[in-house]
Amino acid sequence: MKIDRRSFLGLGLGAAAGVTLSPMPWKLTDDSSIWSQNWPWTPVPIDGEVTFDDTVCTLCPGNCGISVKKVNGRAIKIEGKKGYPVNDGGICLHGISGLQYLYDPSRVRFPMVKNGDTWKQVSWDEAASLVAGKIKELKDKGMADSVACVAGSDKGSIAGLYKRFITSVGSQNFYTVDTMEKTWEMLIERVHGLNASAAFDLAKSDYIISFGTGFIEGWGSPVNNFLANSSRKERHAKLVQVEYRLSNTAASADIWLPAKPGTEASLALGICSAMISANLYNAAFAQSAGKDFEAFAKFVNEKYDPELVSRTTGVDAAKIKAVAAEFAKAKSPLAIAGRGKGESAGSLMEFAAVHALNCLTGNINKEGGFWTIEQQDSLTWPSVVMDDSATKSYAKPPVGAVTSVIDSGASGAGIFSAVVSAVSGGATDSGQKVLSSVSKLFEVINASEKSPVELLMVYNSNPCFTLRNAKVVKDAVNKIPFVVSFSPYMDDTAQLADVILPTHTSLEMTQDVYSGACIAQNVIALSKSVAVPVYDTKHPGDAIISLAKATEGSVASNFTWKTYSECLESIMGDNFATLSEEGYIASELAPPVTPLSVDFSLFAAFKDSISLEGDAKSYPLTLVPIDTIRLASSTLASPPFAVKTVEDTVLFEKDTLVEINPETADKVGVDDGDYAVITTSVGEAKVRIHLFDGIMPGIIAIPEGLGHSTGAKGEIITKDGSPMAGITGATSIITQTGGVSKNRGQLENLYIGGKGVNVNELIGPVMDPASGLDAAWGIRARISRA
Amino acid sequence: MTQDNHGKKYKFGMVIDLDKCTGCGSCMVACMSENNVPFKEDETNKKDSITWMRVFKLTNGKPFPETDICYMPRPCMHCGGKGDHGHSPCVSVCPATATDYGHDTGIVSQIYTRCFGCRYCMGACPYHARYFNWWDPKWPDGMEEYLSPNVSPRMRGVVEKCSFCYHRYQAARDKAYHEERRDEIEESEYQTACTQACPAGAITFGDLNNPDHEVCKFVNPDPHQCGKPRNPKAFRLLERLQTNPKVYYISEREWVRKAGDNYRDGEWGKEIHSSDGNSHK
Amino acid sequence: MDSALIPKGAKRCPFPVFATGIAVVGAVLLWGVYAMGLCWLKGLNQTNMNDYYGFALWIWADLAVIAIGGGAFFTGLLKYVFGIDELKNIINLAVVIGFICYSSALLILAIDIGQPLRGWFIFWHANVHSMLTEVAFCLSLYFSVLTIEFVPLILENRQIDKVPFFHNLSHNMHGVMAIFAATGAFLSCFHQGSLGGVAGVLYGRPFAYREGLLVWPWTFFLFTWSAAAYGPCFTLVVTKLFEGITRKKLVKDNVVNLLAKISGWMITTYIIAKIIDTIYWMGVTAPDMGFSVMDFYSNNSFYGIWILFAEIVLGGIVPAVILTVKKYRENKKLLLVAIILGVFGVCLNRWVMVLQVMAVPVMSFDTWALYLPSWQEVATTILPVAYGIILISLAYRYLPVFPQEQELYDTK
Ligand SMILES: Nc1nc2c(c(=O)[nH]1)N[C@H]1C(S)=C(S)[C@@H](COP(=O)(O)OP(=O)(O)OC[C@H]3O[C@@H](n4cnc5c(=O)[nH]c(N)nc54)[C@H](O)[C@@H]3O)O[C@H]1N2
Ligand SMILES: Nc1nc2c(c(=O)[nH]1)N[C@H]1C(S)=C(S)[C@@H](COP(=O)(O)OP(=O)(O)OC[C@H]3O[C@@H](n4cnc5c(=O)[nH]c(N)nc54)[C@H](O)[C@@H]3O)O[C@H]1N2
Ligand code: SF4
Ligand code: SF4
Ligand code: SF4
Ligand code: SF4
Ligand code: SF4
Ligand SMILES: [Mo]
C-alpha cells in the first residue's frame, strides 16, 4: 500500500480518535490522581492499637506530668497529664515537642573520639577505657584534683552518681550551673536560719508584687505558673509587675511599674518604707518573730523614703504608696524576686530587699504566701571510700573557689552550709565559707598559663553556650587537655570535647525527679523510659558506673551496682516501690509548719546591688536579655516546632532582632528592620532592629536562646572506615530550603543551629560580692547602624 | 435570619479568653504535633509557614509606658458564611469541592486528595487560616516515626488548615456508636488538641447549639443573628464581613475588642459594635 | 526557501531574517519553558507567592490576556451576529490573537495549580457555586470554539488549501462560522464575567467584594463589558504593530476607525458604569465593612490613590474621549495613544482586582502584604508573550491574516 499524504493524515487522525475513545486516557487520568496522592516520599504512618504511657517531662525544672500516646508501641504524641499535681493536664510547647528531641538530627549516634579534625566511632568499651586510663594516669601522678565535672544540677540520683565519681577520684571540682533557687536558699538560711528551699503559693495569693519575674515567660515551673496566672484572673487576685519592659507577664499584670533597670531593690525598700511609716506592716509578727526590726525601720525611713525612691526608680511616689497600701491590706500578699534567665543566680541583696516585703507582712508559711520547703533529698548513698591519693587530692580547694563577704549573721549556723555541702559532695561538712562557682572555674583556667584542670567531664550542661562570656568559656575548654562530654547532642560544648560518650535522651531513660523550681509542693516522681533508644547510647547512670568500673581501684569500689536501675532501687529505699507503682509522690498542699524567725539585720545592711560592666560614656545604653517561653534558652536547644512559633520580630532568617524604644532608635539613628552593631566591653554582634513601644528608652533587649552553633565540625568516620552518610539519605526530592544539605552527615541541627546571636557572647559574668555567684543581669552597650 | 445549624445536630465552636492567653504557643505546637504538620529549616517568613493555629501579637499602639499587648490565637474560624447557611468564604469558592461545610457539625473540612492547589480558597479567607504546601513535607531522618496515623500527611501542592481536629470527633462518634449512644457525644469526649494543651485554660471548645456546654454559656450566641455573641465582652473576628465564625474571643479590654474588627473614625463607641453586624441589608 | 507556503502575491521578509527573529524570540520562549519545567517538577516553591499572596503575577497575566483577547469574541459578535461586515477585514487577526490569549491563559492555569495532574478535578468534582468552575468550563469551551474559528484560517494556507478535502472543509466551516461565533460570544461573555466574579464574590475581601445581581457581583458585568470594550484596542495595537514592523498598510483606515469608534463608545459606557460602581463601593459597600476608601490606598509603599486615577482617568476617560470624538480618533497619533492607554487601562484593572486585592490588609492588625515575583514567575509570564509573537508571526507569514493586504499593496 502506498502511503500518500492523504492516507497518512487519515491514519493519524484515525489513531488519535481511536486512542481518545479508548479507555486509556481515562485510565491514565485516573491513575495520575492516584499517583499524586501516593508519592513514595510522603510518609504513610502505620495504624494500630493506641496506648498511653504516663511519665514526667524532664526538659526543664518544671517536671510536668505527661502522657505519651503510642500506636503499636510507637510514641506519636505527648500530652499533659490530667490530675498531675504540677500541671494538671497543661503542657508547654517544649514538652509537646519532646519527640523531636528523640530524632534530633544533631544527636550523637555512637561514642566518638576526636582525632584532629575528624571524629572516629569507637565502641563503648574502648571509649570507657580511654577515659579511665587518663583518670588513672592523673590519679597516679597525684593530680586527681585536676579532674573536674560540670553538671546541670545536683538534684537526683544521676547527678549524685557524677558527684560521687568526682569525689571518689579525689576532687572537689564538681560544679553545677548557678540558679536563682540557690540564691533563695542562701537567703533563707541567712534570714530564717533554715536549710530550706523557697516556694511561692501563687495559686492562693491575692496580691503579688513581682520584681521582674517572668511567670509566663517560663520562670520556675512554667506550666504551674500558667495555671496560677489563670486562676489569678478568675479570683481577681492582683499582680504588680516591676519591669522596665512590657513582657508578657507585665502585659498580663494589673499594674505595671516600669522601674529603671537595676533599681528594683530600691523600689522594694521604698515600698517597705511606705508600709512602715504608714504603720501598714504586720507589727505583731515583726516584733515577735523578728530580730533587729527597729534598725531596719530606721534604715529604710532614712534612706528609702518613697519620694527619694521615686527619683532613683522613676516610679511615681504616689504610686509607690498606693501599691504599698494595697499590698499591706491584701489577705495573702506575696513579693517575688528572681529573673531567672537574665542572669544565673541573681543578686542576693536584691532578693533580700524584695523578701523584706514578705517579712513585713508576715505572710510566710501561710496559705498564699512565701514558703520555706524542706529539701526532700530522700536518697541514701553509701559513704564514699577514698584511697590515700584520693584523700590527699581531695583536701585541695576547688579551682573555681570563691569566698563570700557576707557575715554569718545571727542565725549561728554556717550560713552557706547547704552550698558548702554541695561543694564537698556530701563527704565532709566542714562548714567552711568556700563556694565553688562555675564561672570562676573557667575564668581561672583562662587566666592560667597551663590549665589547672587536666580532665573535664560535662554532664547535662552546656557551659559553652549558657555561661556568661561564652567566648572565654570556649577558650578555657579548648585549653583543657582532655574533655569528656556525656551529651546526647552535638551541642556547643560537645563540639569541643575529645571524647563523647552519648547518653540517652530523657524519653529513653528512667530517672528520679524532684520538683523544685519554687512550686509550693514537693513532688517526687519517677520519669520512665517510654521509647526504645534510637541510637547506640547509654543511660547516663550506666555510663558513669561503667566508667567507674573501668577506672578500677577505690573508684570502682564506690560503684558496686551492676546497673543504674539497681543503684536507683537501692538508694531510693521505700519510695522506689511506691514510685514504680504510682509514678509520683506528692506532699500535702499545705504550708510548712516550721516555726519561723526573721533576722532583719541583713536587710538593714543593704548595699546597692550589682553595677553593670562598662563605662557610661562609651556605652550609653543598657543591654539586657529577654526571654519568651517559645525559645528554650537553657535546658536544651529549642526543637523545630518551637522555633517555628518564634515571631519574625525576634528571629528573621538568621538574624536576631533586638528591641528598642522608637525614641532610642531616633537618637541612635536606626529604624525598624535596620541592621545594627551592638558593642559591649565583652564583644560585638550584628543584629537587626525591632521597634517596640513597650520598652523603656535607653534599653536594648536581646532574646535568649539563639546563637547555638550548628553542630559538629569535621568529618565523622564510622567503624567501617567510611564517612558517615547524609542522615536524610540523598533523595531527589527538594528539601524545604531548596537543596539536600550536604552537612547533614555532620550531626547538625539546622533548625536552631546557626541562627541569631548568643547573648552570652555580649555579656560577661559579674560576681555578686554577697553570694559569690554570678549576678550579671545586663551590661552597658552602644549600638550603631551597620 | 436564623442560624443554619439551629436545631441541627451539632455546631462546634471555640471560645478563647484573650485575657488568659499568655502567648505561650502550646496551642500552636499541640496542633502541629496532633496533625502531622511539617516544618522546614527556616520558618521565619510567616507568610509561608504552616501553622493551622497561629498566635498573633497585637499592640494598642500607645507609647511607653501606656503600651499594652494581647495575643490572639487564630485557628480556622469554621465560618458559617453569610446567613450562616454554610457558604463559608472558602467553601463557596472551591471549584473542586475539596473543602466543604459539614451541616451536621458546622466544621469546614479540607480534603487533601481532592484539592488540586488552585489556592482560590486562600484568597477568599480573610483570616489567613489556609496554608499551601509550597514544599514536599520532609522530616529529618527517622523523625517520621512520630507521625500520627489519624491524620494523613499532606503532599506538595495542596492546601491545608485547622480541622477542629475532626479525627477526634470521628473517634468520639465511633465510640458513642459502639456504646450504643448513637449521636450523644459528651462535651469532654470531643475536645481539640489545642484546647487540651493550653496551659492557661484560655481555650474552651464545645457545641454552640447545646446550652449546657461551656462555650454556649460563655458567649450566649444569638440564634436569630447567626450566632452573634450576646455577652458584651465577647466578639468574633471581622463580624462585619458576615463570615459568621464559630470561634469567639472574650476580653475585658476595650481596645482588644475593638481590634477584632474594622471601624471608621468615630464609629466605635456609637451603637455600631452593639448593633447587629449582620443587619446591613 | 519557504516561498511555497507564503500566501500568493504577499511580500514577506527573506527566510533567514525571519528565522533569526524567531530564534531570538524562541530563546526567550525556551527560558520560559525552562521556568515552567521548574515549576512543574519542583513545585510552586519556585515562585515568590506565599500564603498571603496565593494569586500573583501570572494570574494577573492570565486575566489580562483574557481581557485583551476579548477582541476576538467581541469582533466576532459584531461581525457575525450584528452583521457589521467591514470587520471581516480584521476578524482573522482578532481570532488569532484570541487563540493565542486563551491558549496562554490555559497554559498559565496549568502551571499555576499545585497539583497539575489533578487539574481535571475542576470538571469532575465541579462545585457549581464556584466562579472558578464557571471560568474553567467556559474557558475550555471557548478555547475549543476559538480553535474551530482558527482552523479555517489555517486551512487557507496555500499548500493545505490544495488538498481538496481541506479546501472543502474550510469552505463549509466558513459557512457555519456564525453559529460558532455566536456560541463563542456567549461563552466568552460568561467567562469574562466569571473572571470578574472571581474577585467580586470574595466577601472576606472588602477591597474586592461587590454586591450584584442574583449570584453575580457587579464585577461580573464590568469584566465582560471591559473585555468587550478594550479587547478591540488590543487588536488595533497589534495591527499597528504589524504595520509598523512590516512598514506596510494592512488594514484600511475605515475598518480601523470603525472598530476604534465602537471601542470608544464601549469604553465610555463601561467607564461610566465603573465610576458608579466605584462610588457605590466607596460610599456603601466598604463602609459597611468598616473601611474608608483611603484605607485601601495608604500606609504602604506602592498602592496609592494614583492607581485608581490611572485606571479610571488615564485608562478610561482619556481613551473614551479620544475614540468617541471623530476628530481625535482620526488623528493617527492620538488614536495610537488612545488604544495603548486602553490596553493599559484594562490590564491595570485586572492587576488591581488580583494583586491589590491580596495586598490590602483585612484584619485590623494585619499589615500590607507586598510581593515581588521570582524570575521563574517572570519567565513563565513572558513565556506566553514569546509564544504569541512566534505564533502570530507564523500566522502572518503563512496565512492570509489580513484580507486587505493584497488590495492595499496593489493600490500603493
Ligand atoms: N521555655 C523555657 N522555660 C524555662 C526554661 C527554658 O529554658 N525554656 N528554663 C527554666 C529555668 S532553668 C529558669 S531559671 C527559668 C527562668 O525564667 P524567668 O525568670 O522567667 O527568666 P527570663 O524570662 O529570662 O526573665 C524574666 C524577665 O525579667 C526581666 N528582667 C531582666 N532583667 C531585669 C531587671 O534588671 N529588672 C527587672 N525588673 N526585670 C528584669 C526580663 O525582661 C524578663 O522578661 O525558666 C525555666 N523555664
Ligand atoms: N544563653 C543563656 N544562658 C543562660 C541562661 C539563658 O537563659 N540563656 N540561663 C541561665 C540559667 S537560669 C541556667 S539554669 C543555666 C542552664 O545551664 P546549662 O544547664 O548548662 O544549660 P542547658 O542548655 O540546659 O544544658 C543542658 C545540656 O545538657 C545536655 N543534656 C540534655 N539532656 C540531657 C540528659 O538527659 N543527659 C545528659 N547527659 N545530657 C543532657 C544537652 O546537651 C544540653 O545542651 O544557664 C544559664 N545561662
Ligand atoms: S514546663 Fe518544663 S517540664 Fe513542663 S512540659 Fe514544659 S519543658 Fe516539660
Ligand atoms: S496555649 Fe493557650 S495561653 Fe498559650 S498561646 Fe495558646 S491559647 Fe494562649
Ligand atoms: S476561617 Fe477561612 S478557612 Fe476557615 S472557614 Fe473561614 S474562610 Fe474558611
Ligand atoms: S486550593 Fe484546593 S481547596 Fe482551595 S479552592 Fe483550590 S481546590 Fe479548593
Ligand atoms: S482545633 Fe485542632 S486542628 Fe484546629 S487549631 Fe486546634 S489543634 Fe489545630
Ligand atoms: Mo535556671
Side-chain angles (χ1 to χ4, degrees), chain A residues 114 141 260 360 388 456 476 521 603 670 691 722:
Chain A
K114 184 137 69 189
K141 282 197 225 156
K260 287 181 200 152
L360 282 183
D388 284 352
L456 176 71
Q521 192 174 18
F603 307 143
V670 291
L691 298 186
S722 58

Side-chain angles (χ1 to χ4, degrees), chain C residues 197-224:
Chain C
V198 164
V201 296
L202 300 179
Y203 65 96
R205 294 280 189 171
F207 183 74
Y209 178 64
R210 295 293 187 281
E211 275 106 338
L213 194 67
L214 302 173
V215 298
W216 297 290
W218 297 126
T219 47
F220 183 98
F221 306 101
L222 289 172
F223 265 51
T224 307

Side-chain angles (χ1 to χ4, degrees), chain A residues 338-352:
Chain A
R339 22 182 188 188
K341 275 165 261 157
E343 68 280 289
S344 306
S347 145
L348 184 80
M349 287 316 276
E350 186 183 306
F351 280 43

Side-chain angles (χ1 to χ4, degrees), chain A residues 399 441-452 479:
Chain A
V399 176
L441 168 76
F442 290 112
E443 207 182 292
V444 171
I445 295 175
N446 217 38
S448 322
E449 190 138 342
K450 186 175 169 297
S451 168
K479 239 180 179 178

Side-chain angles (χ1 to χ4, degrees), chain C residues 73 76-77 80-81 141-142 144-149 152 172-187:
Chain C
F73 90 87
L77 182 82
Y80 293 107
V81 180
L141 285 175
Y142 182 55
S144 319
V145 170
L146 272 170
T147 312
I148 292 168
E149 292 188 64
N172 289 329
M173 282 181 85
H174 273 299
V176 294
M177 206 42 75
I179 299 168
F180 283 108
T183 321
F186 172 77
L187 285 171

Side-chain angles (χ1 to χ4, degrees), chain C residues 17-18 24-25 31 39 49 73 79 84 97 129 180 189 222-223 255 269 280 292-293 297 325 333 341 365 382:
Chain C
V17 176
F18 177 73
V24 171
V25 185
W31 179 54
C39 291
M49 285 193 279
F73 90 87
K79 176 179 181 285
I84 306 180
I97 293 173
H129 299 290
F180 283 108
C189 276
L222 289 172
F223 265 51
V255 179
T269 49
Y280 186 79
S292 40
V293 187
Y297 298 102
V325 178
K333 285 206 180 109
L341 278 180
F365 46 90
I382 291 176

Side-chain angles (χ1 to χ4, degrees), chain C residues 66-287:
Chain C
I66 290 179
I68 58 181
F73 90 87
F74 188 59
T75 318
L77 182 82
L78 293 174
K79 176 179 181 285
Y80 293 107
V81 180
F82 295 114
I84 306 180
D85 203 49
E86 287 103 311
L87 295 180
K88 70 169 186 282
N89 297 316
I90 203 162
I91 187 86
N92 285 350
L93 178 68
V95 165
V96 176
I97 293 173
F99 181 85
I100 289 169
C101 289
Y102 279 80
S103 51
S104 300
L106 284 170
L107 179 70
I108 291 174
L109 287 182
I111 306 170
D112 176 68
I113 55 179
Q115 287 279 346
L117 292 178
R118 297 185 199 164
W120 53 278
F121 282 16
I122 203 169
F123 303 113
W124 195 250
H125 301 291
N127 167 17
V128 293
H129 299 290
S130 172
M131 283 292 160
L132 212 55
T133 308
E134 208 171 300
V135 169
F137 273 92
C138 296
L139 201 65
S140 24
L141 285 175
Y142 182 55
F143 177 67
S144 319
V145 170
L146 272 170
T147 312
I148 292 168
E149 292 188 64
F150 191 18
V151 165
L153 184 63
I154 298 172
L155 299 182
E156 279 174 38
N157 172 277
R158 225 162 91 194
Q159 294 305 319
I160 299 179
D161 194 49
K162 285 182 184 156
V163 182
F165 170 75
F166 291 135
H167 179 83
N168 291 335
L169 180 64
S170 160
H171 189 77
N172 289 329
M173 282 181 85
H174 273 299
V176 294
M177 206 42 75
I179 299 168
F180 283 108
T183 321
F186 172 77
L187 285 171
S188 196
C189 276
F190 252 92
H191 88 252
Q192 292 284 0
S194 44
L195 277 174
V198 164
V201 296
L202 300 179
Y203 65 96
R205 294 280 189 171
F207 183 74
Y209 178 64
R210 295 293 187 281
E211 275 106 338
L213 194 67
L214 302 173
V215 298
W216 297 290
W218 297 126
T219 47
F220 183 98
F221 306 101
L222 289 172
F223 265 51
T224 307
W225 204 249
S226 59
Y230 290 103
C233 285
F234 187 64
T235 314
L236 292 175
V237 168
V238 175
T239 310
K240 294 287 160 199
L241 260 175
F242 264 103
E243 291 186 343
I245 292 168
T246 60
R247 281 183 235 123
K248 279 193 289 207
K249 191 133 190 67
L250 295 170
V251 180
K252 284 187 186 159
D253 283 343
N254 69 321
V255 179
V256 169
N257 285 337
L258 175 65
L259 196 57
K261 182 173 141 196
I262 296 172
S263 178
W265 283 108
M266 289 291 292
I267 295 176
T268 306
T269 49
Y270 162 75
I271 208 70
I272 290 169
K274 170 76 189 170
I275 289 168
I276 295 172
D277 169 74
T278 305
I279 290 172
Y280 186 79
W281 165 72
M282 283 178 168
V284 181
T285 318

